[in-house]
Amino acid sequence: MVGVKINPISGLPSGFPELLHFVLEHVEDKNVEALLEGLLETRAELSPLISKSNNRLKDLLFLDIALDSTVWTAIERGYEELNSAKPEKIMYFITLVLETLALSWDDNEDLIYCLKGWNEALSMSKSGDNLWALYAKSVLDRTRLALAGKAESYHHLLQPSAEYLGSQLGVELWAVNIFTEEIIRAGSAASLSSLLNRLDPVLRETANLGSWQVISPVEAIGYVVVVDELLAVQNKSYEKPTILVAKSVKGEEEIPDGAVAVLTPDMPDVLSYVSVRARNSKVCFATCFDSNIWADLQASEGKLLQIKPTSADIVYSTLKVGDLTNASSTSLKEDDSLPSLTLVRKQFGGRYAISSDEFTSEMVGAKSRNIAYLKGKVPSWVGIPTSVALPFGVFEKVLSDGLNQGVAENLHILKKKLGEGDVSALGEIRKAVLELAAPSQLVEELKNRMQSSGMPWPGDEGQQRWEQAWLAIKKVWASKWNERAYFSTRKVKLDHEYLCMAVLVQEIINADYAFVIHTTNPSSGDSSEICAEVVKGLGETLVGAYPGRALSFICKKNDLNSPQVLGYPSKPIGLFIRRSIIFRSDSNGEDLEGYAGAGLYDSVPMDEEEKVVLDYSSDQLIKDADFRRSLLSSIAGAGNAIEELYGSPQDIEGVVRDGKIYVVQTRPQM
């Protein structure tokens, strides 16, 4: 901006030249707060003009780029001021830069809600709310997710052109590779990222979060292997005990054979599939929040490390190779340590559809039986959705029907191909299953069972609605052959052919919130504590691979009215749906003792969920402490009541609608 001359342009706001003069006068100030405020106001005035046709549009664009770049230089110069600043000052700088950044992005709804979150955190801090730092940490995590998402979209947009032009112009490869990164680093996005990095350790210390979140506290010894994504190595088998240092963990991955630990800076939910799998497999699993520790772990690639976790921290040290012989049996993943499991092949019982009072172990899996068992036994304030099911053997019966002779012959060929080791056949099998036609008897029996149970019949709304329901049923059956499930069963030597899939049919409750409860705290193993996580909307964002964290809390069973919040939500997306039906997978391989099969297979709603960008700053669960305490206590109370019914720890899923608790499934906590 130094040396810039200000000339009049028609259509500019009357006070715009004065704003530019202010920026020029203060562009080299060491105290940068006023400059940042001026830059924000100037860009806000300029923004509407850039979106309109203007004969000086190129000049205005270059001016806007210069102003945005000045934000970066101002933040760089202001670090001395920030070194001694209180958290509130850094948070205020973040709001200025975040609002500036929002002016640069058309798709900025998520950033706007992040901005509202920061303003709410500032308000909580000034009011003396002792949870302000915990809330601010959730907003910080969400802001990082927004930056990461935008950086990825920039890379997809710009990098292919950079690579093409670079190859044509003979530009050195290293320069081409960092092209998009340098574009991002030259603007306010880089400034925002550096401010977040500066504030993060302050918030963690204030909120007593420590440097780690330990999800599965298991001691381990192994060789460090650094990977970009856990997903990329989930089907790999490591010959030596391996500590995976994975930059990305989404939550739905399988943990590969030979891995004794997974360490990541990512933040999968404590109750996500991969977290449950880690605990059941006795694999150490933890999130690292400290960038210095994370850098040290990455630099340890190839070294032999010993990891000793507590409930809130991890201590690690380098060992000599000879020390590996002293490793515990939990660290050495030999084939003979795998559980010996068997499946009993289920047969068609003569009925295509059954009501909940007909659920038996010969007809349906534990998911269906458990929900039927709860009916009439839980407290009256806990709702249980009405259920019917397509029992075991229906898929095989439909496949053998003359209607589907061609599909059956194709599947026979594809299964043979799979048996010969061609895993690409899995996708072809799933497509083939979707070609099945429904026998008329199946349609009639399912219609009668649903209507007699008081459930809406999709066919009443037209043939197209029934076709949607039938497609969802077939997708559940087809999920028997999804990659993760297939490799998981093969890993524990289960006969995949013996795996049978019942389908639990339930009406979807249009949830305000969804939750998962573990009635024994999975991070500490404390049976006196209930641990739960809550998200806005449907629970798929909690149990599936959706970015961000849920609201998490613990509650002592002897004091259910005093839940303790461990973390506020940072998930940017919520899923919502109108009145609809969901078809849940219920296989005979999901609840075997010693095998975490839950979550391997798909549950499919008849209608597509609506994705909504969430605004937590106006959400009652965040804003109203009394409402939060009441709701979390009710969730914990439901979990406690169900555990008492079964007499053993439970893994429970449910939703909240208009303040009422509904439990949609429960299973033994592995």
Side-chain angles (χ1 to χ4, degrees):
M1 294 292 292
V2 177
V4 168
K5 296 189 182 302
I6 300 169
N7 298 309
I9 297 177
S10 61
L12 287 174
S14 59
F16 189 77
E18 286 74 17
L19 285 171
L20 282 180
H21 279 297
F22 178 86
V23 169
L24 285 173
E25 288 170 5
H26 296 276
V27 74
E28 293 187 334
D29 287 1
K30 286 190 174 181
N31 187 333
V32 298
E33 183 175 331
L35 174 61
L36 288 172
E37 291 171 341
L39 286 165
L40 171 58
E41 190 175 351
T42 306
R43 290 199 70 211
E45 293 281 2
L46 193 58
S47 182
L49 298 173
I50 291 175
S51 60
K52 297 177 183 177
S53 178
N54 191 302
N55 61 358
R56 301 297 297 277
L57 184 57
K58 185 167 73 170
D59 291 331
L60 295 177
L61 282 169
F62 275 103
L63 174 59
D64 191 57
I65 291 169
L67 291 166
D68 186 48
S69 181
T70 305
V71 172
W72 178 76
T73 56
I75 291 296
E76 290 286 306
R77 194 166 58 255
Y79 279 148
E80 186 176 335
E81 178 183 353
L82 291 172
N83 282 336
S84 57
K86 292 182 178 180
E88 290 80 3
K89 183 67 169 285
I90 304 175
M91 288 162 66
Y92 179 60
F93 272 34
I94 286 172
T95 64
L96 294 175
V97 178
L98 186 55
E99 190 170 355
T100 300
L101 185 60
L103 294 170
S104 300
W105 295 355
D106 288 334
D107 183 16
N108 63 5
E109 187 179 15
D110 194 14
L111 282 189
I112 296 300
Y113 291 147
C114 288
L115 179 60
K116 292 178 72 174
W118 283 113
N119 287 327
E120 179 65 21
L122 275 168
S123 177
M124 290 172 67
S125 173
K126 291 172 183 175
S127 68
D129 189 323
N130 59 1
L131 293 177
W132 75 266
L134 204 58
Y135 177 71
K137 180 67 170 75
S138 71
V139 183
L140 185 147
D141 292 339
R142 179 173 181 175
T143 308
R144 276 182 169 159
L145 284 172
L147 286 176
K150 187 54 70 172
E152 188 175 341
S153 68
Y154 272 9
H155 193 274
H156 288 308
L157 180 68
L158 299 176
Q159 196 61 26
S161 296
E163 290 172 2
Y164 172 75
L165 289 171
S167 66
Q168 297 299 307
L169 298 170
V171 178
E172 291 187 42
L173 187 60
W174 68 266
V176 173
N177 290 340
I178 65 170
F179 179 83
T180 302
E181 181 183 342
E182 289 301 312
I183 292 290
I184 295 169
R185 286 169 59 86
S188 48
S191 305
L192 180 58
S193 181
S194 66
L195 287 171
L196 297 176
N197 291 340
R198 187 170 289 264
L199 182 62
D200 193 356
V202 178
L203 293 180
R204 282 192 282 106
E205 183 178 358
T206 306
N208 298 313
L209 290 175
S211 299
W212 293 88
Q213 177 173 16
V214 181
I215 298 170
S216 177
V218 178
E219 289 192 19
I221 295 175
Y223 292 92
V224 174
V225 173
V226 179
V227 297
D228 286 332
E229 297 179 326
L230 181 60
L231 184 66
V233 296
Q234 66 173 351
N235 299 326
K236 190 177 175 67
S237 183
Y238 293 97
E239 294 182 3
K240 297 187 292 186
T242 298
I243 296 171
L244 286 174
V245 174
K247 298 171 189 175
S248 171
V249 176
K250 300 303 182 188
E252 286 194 324
E253 300 93 337
E254 186 72 25
I255 294 175
D257 280 341
V260 296
V262 178
L263 309 178
T264 178
D266 238 339
M267 298 175 291
D269 291 305
V270 174
L271 305 184
S272 67
Y273 172 80
V274 72
S275 301
V276 172
R277 177 59 105 191
R279 290 189 290 268
N280 292 345
S281 304
K282 301 296 185 289
V283 171
C284 179
F285 187 32
T287 292
C288 178
F289 297 122
D290 190 308
S291 58
N292 292 325
I293 294 176
W294 179 247
D296 186 52
L297 286 169
Q298 289 181 294
S300 299
E301 181 154 26
K303 294 180 180 177
L304 183 64
L305 291 190
Q306 181 174 34
I307 295 175
K308 292 189 174 183
T310 65
S311 61
D313 198 8
I314 280 187
V315 176
Y316 63 93
S317 56
T318 304
L319 297 179
K320 296 176 182 177
V321 174
D323 295 331
L324 183 59
T325 56
N326 300 320
S328 67
S329 60
T330 59
S331 297
L332 298 172
K333 305 288 254 182
E334 303 295 343
D335 284 344
D336 58 10
S337 71
L338 294 171
S340 178
L341 303 171
T342 56
L343 285 173
V344 177
R345 188 194 292 271
K346 302 292 184 179
Q347 303 295 330
F348 179 65
R351 285 173 290 175
Y352 284 99
I354 57 176
S355 54
S356 59
D357 56 1
E358 301 172 287
F359 291 176
T360 66
S361 59
E362 290 304 308
M363 302 294 278
V364 293
K367 189 181 293 182
S368 300
R369 300 197 308 275
N370 287 342
I371 206 69
Y373 175 78
L374 292 178
K375 200 85 170 175
K377 296 183 178 68
V378 292
S380 58
W381 51 269
V382 178
I384 304 294
T386 303
S387 306
V388 302
L390 283 72
F392 292 136
V394 171
F395 167 74
E396 290 76 10
K397 179 68 174 175
V398 169
L399 186 62
S400 67
D401 193 287
L403 281 170
N404 296 304
Q405 183 178 348
V407 178
E409 291 172 356
N410 188 25
L411 278 180
H412 179 74
I413 294 169
L414 291 172
K415 285 182 184 179
K416 185 178 179 182
K417 186 177 173 183
L418 180 63
E420 292 169 353
D422 186 352
V423 295
S424 68
L426 288 168
E428 296 177 69
I429 291 173
R430 293 197 299 273
K431 287 179 183 177
V433 171
L434 299 186
E435 296 173 6
L436 289 169
S440 57
Q441 189 178 347
L442 180 150
V443 179
E444 193 61 30
E445 285 190 32
L446 182 58
K447 176 181 178 180
N448 291 338
R449 287 292 181 274
M450 290 179 70
Q451 289 181 333
S452 63
S453 299
M455 296 174 67
W457 169 244
D460 289 341
E461 301 175 55
Q463 181 63 22
Q464 183 181 358
R465 295 290 287 163
W466 159 246
E467 292 296 336
Q468 283 179 252
W470 177 235
L471 179 61
I473 291 168
K474 291 186 287 186
K475 285 181 177 178
V476 175
W477 284 336
S479 71
K480 171 181 174 178
W481 287 276
N482 72 49
E483 281 78 5
R484 193 184 67 193
Y486 178 76
F487 287 116
S488 179
T489 53
R490 194 170 72 172
K491 186 182 296 184
V492 293
K493 299 180 173 63
L494 283 174
D495 190 330
H496 193 257
E497 276 300 301
Y498 279 33
L499 189 118
C500 295
M501 188 75 72
V503 181
L504 175 63
V505 186
Q506 293 177 323
E507 187 173 2
I508 291 179
I509 298 159
N510 189 9
D512 300 318
Y513 304 99
F515 58 82
V516 172
I517 307 168
H518 279 183
T519 59
T520 288
N521 188 332
S523 296
S524 62
D526 188 344
S527 60
S528 71
E529 276 182 353
I530 287 171
C531 176
E533 293 185 323
V534 184
V535 294
K536 279 181 70 68
L538 299 174
E540 181 59 25
T541 60
L542 177 52
V543 298
Y546 282 78
R549 294 287 296 279
L551 182 146
S552 59
F553 72 96
I554 55 172
C555 194
K556 291 290 185 182
K557 292 174 183 174
N558 61 4
D559 188 9
L560 293 172
N561 292 320
S562 301
Q564 178 189 347
V565 175
L566 300 179
Y568 282 98
S570 60
K571 288 184 179 289
I573 297 294
L575 298 178
F576 298 86
I577 200 167
R578 64 184 179 89
R579 190 182 188 195
S580 187
I581 303 292
I582 189 167
F583 301 89
R584 298 184 184 276
S585 58
D586 191 23
S587 78
N588 61 338
E590 291 184 55
D591 293 286
L592 297 173
E593 186 174 352
Y595 174 58
L600 284 176
Y601 307 101
D602 295 342
S603 294
V604 184
M606 191 173 82
D607 298 282
E608 189 174 349
E609 306 98 329
E610 179 188 3
K611 289 186 177 182
V612 176
V613 182
L614 298 174
D615 179 8
Y616 293 111
S617 66
S618 59
D619 187 77
Q620 192 176 10
L621 188 63
I622 307 301
K623 297 277 289 182
D624 187 335
D626 291 335
F627 172 79
R628 181 170 62 247
R629 187 181 307 108
S630 172
L631 181 61
L632 301 188
S633 295
S634 296
I635 291 171
N640 194 51
I642 291 170
E643 181 184 61
E644 289 179 350
L645 264 178
Y646 282 95
S648 62
Q650 294 293 299
D651 173 357
I652 302 161
E653 294 181 25
V655 299
V656 181
R657 175 67 180 172
D658 296 330
K660 183 174 175 62
I661 304 291
Y662 295 86
V663 169
V664 298
Q665 68 181 63
T666 185
R667 62 173 71 90
Q669 181 179 336
M670 297 291 189

